[in-house]
Amino acid sequence: MEAAEGTNQPIQEYREPLLSTKLFIPPVRSKRVARSGLIIRMNNSLDKTLILVSAPAGFGKTTLLAEWVAQAGLPVAWLSLDAGDNDPNRFLRYMIAALNVALANGETAICATAQSMLQSVQPLPIQTILVALINDLTSMPEPFALVLDDYQFITGPEVNEALTFILEHVPSHVHLVIASRVDPSLPLHRLRAAQRLLEIRTEDLRLTVDETSAFMNTVMELRLRAEDISILNARTEGWVVGLQMAALSMQGMTDYSAFIQGFGGSHRYILEYLIEEVLDRQAAKLQTFLLQTSVLDRLCASLCDAVLAEEYNSQAILEYLDRSNLFFTPLDQVGCWYRYHHLFANLLQAQLQHSQPELIHTLHLRASQWYEEAGLPEEAIQHAFAAKELERAAGLVERSAIDILGGGEMSSLLNLFAALPEDLVLRRPMLCVLHAWALTFAGRFEQVGPRLQQAERWFQPGETTPEARRVLGSTAILRGLVADFQGNMGSAIELALQADKLLPEENLAERSIIPFVLGDYYWDTGELDKAEQAFDRIKQIGNTSGNLWTISVALHKLALVKVMQGKLHAARDLYQEAIDLASKRGGQQYGSMGAIYVGMSDLSREWNELGTARQAVTQAIKNMEHWPNPTNLVSGYVTLARICLSQGEIELAEDALKRAEEFSNMGKIFPITRITMEACRVRLWLAKGNLAMANQWAIEKNLDDKHDLAGQKINYMRELEWIAMARLLIARGELGRALAFLTIVAQTAEASGRNGRQIEILILMTLALQSAGRTTEALNVLSKSLALAESERYMRVFLDEGRPMEELLRACNKRMDGPLKGYTQELLDAFKMLTAGQAQIPASSYPAQPLVESLTGREIEVLHLLATGLSNRQVAERLYLSEGTVKTHTHNLYAKLGVQSRTQAIARARELDLI
């Protein structure tokens, strides 16, 4: 369960995005000085790892890059940096977002692995994320560029170290371009020595006399004489902003030459002089607008109106500033959001500090209030900090913490708590609780207890005020949820019941966690009816609060109960209800819907609709990697692995399970999810004929030394392990032990109404009986499983058992009539389609039949070398054969072994002890 259930604020209403304005490529103005020579240099240097554009403020770095992007001839991602990007997680999230804007085309997510790691509920080592990022970039086939503008804001070592790693490992088709006022703390000397660096510096960016003439006379429309242009160029040393300020100062003058003759001094003095000249020449109201809105990083009309608190036509002023080139940059294509040139903003802020220091607090406070009303709490909090309104900042954090958590902004929330004075947090018990929520989902369990204790100390035992009940109830359910995450269901249920007595009825989101924990407890003990009642209670709470996330969680849990009861169509209806509701509310892409799509995919897999199943689970994984929950992601990849196994794609199944393992190590996942993953891995090992790994698993699980289940607690989770163990015993030929185990497990499943599980157990009993030569008993047990499965049209549970099951079904069909005969024929027809090549028959995990035709000595040699991982060419070189001859031997091997791929050939050979 995700942290969003910790308050009564509906998380589905909060979709805090990354600031898209940071990803916009600045538009190229139609009236500009073309930098053709620099553009050609950049285009001719795309074999370099890094293009660095380094110069002081105002030399046209951003303008140059925008012009280059427009002519680059390859996709370009753009990221404008600010001081907040010194957090490496935030830096990498924005980088990936920029890549998605430029390259994803609304279809496949870019760098999905690294993105999911960044959004993990538990922080990962940055090195791990960087390795995933490099791997993701390497897999992208087409060249592209990534522009990092305003890199001077990156001052901390973490981001510089991360980017150094990227530069040292980035594939050759990825081109990095950095613009900075100062040289970045990157290994420029190594890149320079290796000829992997193009440097464009101040001298390169200075406007020539001809370019100065074009700028002053064509762009700024001043019609200066050639000698004035020459003097101005010399005095400004080709500094673009200095020329722009001079041009603005000259607007309305009649004697340009006199002004230019008196123009001089260093850049700093010129700038100080001209900013006063520019401001003094503006109308008083415009001067006020410029000064007071300088506290804003980004400007839109309604935000400016709120900050100014006077009658202003802010939209008209913004459009005027854009038209007048007054150090102003549009951030979108529709004229809504803008920003000041950073240097201009700094100077305006300095002027504001000098002239109206008492107003700064009020301006930031107004901005904070506007952002709060606009539903942008993080910006509201930052302006509250800037206004030194720490109590307000604390209140905003308290009100929005769960929303920020739900948006995947774990690092941001923890940073906000770190910025709050400790004594201020300690004075707010609910803030302590919310900090504990963040610490819990960050995996810092050792810090959770002290925070909860700090919250609890404000109240006396038995205190019943609404605040006391909410805080004490929240601490109880939070501890219960942690216990649930850790599989300590006894403590979880006790704490949930305690929270139920404490939490006020109106705190619906917190209260929804109580039936969640209760339902998990009953699920764990196999009491499906009680679990269903608890999960239905979550749905009722979700309907009352209107919380889509809560409703989707409830429907997912209810559907899982139906699947366990063998009611697949009822489960499908519940999943569809969640999908329909999300569609009405525009929440189809919510990460919380990922579990719904995984469940729907698993149903499609069982009904042998493998294409549909694969498409659904792939989309689900994509959704969840944007808003990850490790448990749901592991379930998604396990489902994908089972689909791949059904399609005979062993290597892809193995890859999917590796991804599942990666996500399981990122954070706490439910124990049942881990056991499900392990059971799937056992099936994979058996499909590959790798009994050694399966045997090692059994030893580690303390399963192989048990010869009966007397006295064993066969709950839902242990049941999965015993079924996996039974598969291993059948594969090893220990049929008596397998049947003994399966008989006990079948009785437990039947007693608990777990018909879905019982079908699989009976199928395994059938195969074990048949292998033991007890055919009549096998067919009787198979008939029972068919009777349970017929109404819900189970398919893959039979088909995945391969040819032994096909033969048993054929024998069973001869002795049946009525609906079961028709159902059995459907399964046989599906087997025929598999045999005809329309789908793959899974590799059998049962004792192998001898080869019809033995292998030649040369074929055995080839087989041994293939098993070492050598390519056909390497095998040919080792055996002094042509590559074509090796291919012929390989083709013959596949035919004799009855397989279709190298992986299957090796697995089959191991089954037969040929290698």
Side-chain angles (χ1 to χ4, degrees), residues 438-457:
L439 293 168
T440 299
F441 283 88
R444 303 180 189 177
F445 295 138
E446 71 283 356
Q447 300 177 40
V448 173
R451 267 297 189 239
L452 294 180
Q453 292 167 7
Q454 289 160 356
E456 292 167 328
R457 71 178 184 176

Side-chain angles (χ1 to χ4, degrees), residues 72-316:
L74 76 166
V76 178
W78 186 287
L79 172 57
S80 297
L81 299 168
D82 55 44
D85 296 320
N86 279 284
D87 180 338
N89 278 24
R90 173 183 162 120
F91 175 85
L92 292 174
R93 287 193 305 108
Y94 268 112
M95 178 189 292
I96 293 171
L99 293 171
N100 275 287
V101 169
L103 305 173
N105 296 321
E107 298 174 359
T108 304
I110 303 301
C111 301
T113 304
Q115 184 173 26
S116 66
M117 290 181 174
L118 286 166
Q119 295 178 322
S120 170
V121 292
Q122 292 204 19
L124 294 175
I126 196 67
Q127 188 82 0
T128 301
I129 300 172
L130 291 173
V131 169
L133 176 61
I134 293 297
N135 289 338
D136 286 340
L137 293 176
T138 302
S139 68
M140 297 165 62
E142 300 298 328
F144 65 91
L146 170 63
V147 173
L148 300 176
D149 195 21
D150 288 327
Y151 196 85
Q152 70 275 356
F153 286 113
I154 303 303
T155 57
E158 293 87 354
V159 172
N160 283 313
E161 290 169 2
L163 193 59
T164 295
F165 183 91
I166 293 172
L167 286 168
E168 290 175 345
H169 298 89
V170 72
S172 60
H173 65 279
V174 180
H175 311 292
L176 269 73
V177 183
I178 291 178
S180 179
R181 295 181 189 177
V182 296
D183 278 4
S185 299
L186 300 172
L188 301 180
H189 60 289
R190 293 205 300 269
L191 294 170
R192 193 179 293 122
Q195 298 184 341
R196 297 169 56 204
L197 172 66
L198 170 66
E199 297 174 81
I200 297 177
R201 296 193 168 274
T202 304
E203 291 303 317
D204 304 301
L205 290 166
R206 295 189 194 280
L207 296 185
T208 66
V209 172
D210 289 342
E211 289 171 334
T212 298
S213 178
F215 177 78
M216 300 300 286
N217 290 339
T218 303
V219 177
M220 303 304 295
E221 301 179 349
L222 289 176
R223 300 181 181 179
L224 300 181
R225 297 181 306 173
E227 55 268 32
D228 289 334
I229 292 290
S230 182
I231 294 171
L232 197 56
N233 181 262
R235 297 280 173 88
T236 62
E237 300 181 41
W239 184 35
V240 177
V241 166
L243 289 167
Q244 185 179 26
M245 288 184 171
L248 290 170
S249 296
M250 285 187 281
Q251 288 177 352
M253 287 185 179
T254 56
D255 191 352
Y256 295 149
S257 296
F259 174 84
I260 292 170
Q261 289 295 330
F263 190 84
S266 69
H267 293 168
R268 180 170 63 86
Y269 292 120
I270 294 170
L271 192 56
E272 289 176 354
Y273 170 75
L274 291 178
I275 194 64
E276 292 179 5
E277 286 290 313
V278 170
L279 283 173
D280 286 347
R281 291 180 180 275
Q282 308 304 321
K285 201 164 189 177
L286 181 56
Q287 289 186 45
T288 301
F289 182 96
L290 292 170
L291 289 174
Q292 295 188 9
T293 59
S294 68
V295 302
L296 303 172
D297 291 332
R298 290 162 182 81
L299 301 87
C300 72
S302 62
L303 174 56
C304 292
D305 287 339
V307 168
L308 294 163
E310 291 183 19
E311 276 295 326
Y312 275 87
N313 187 345
S314 294
Q315 185 62 45

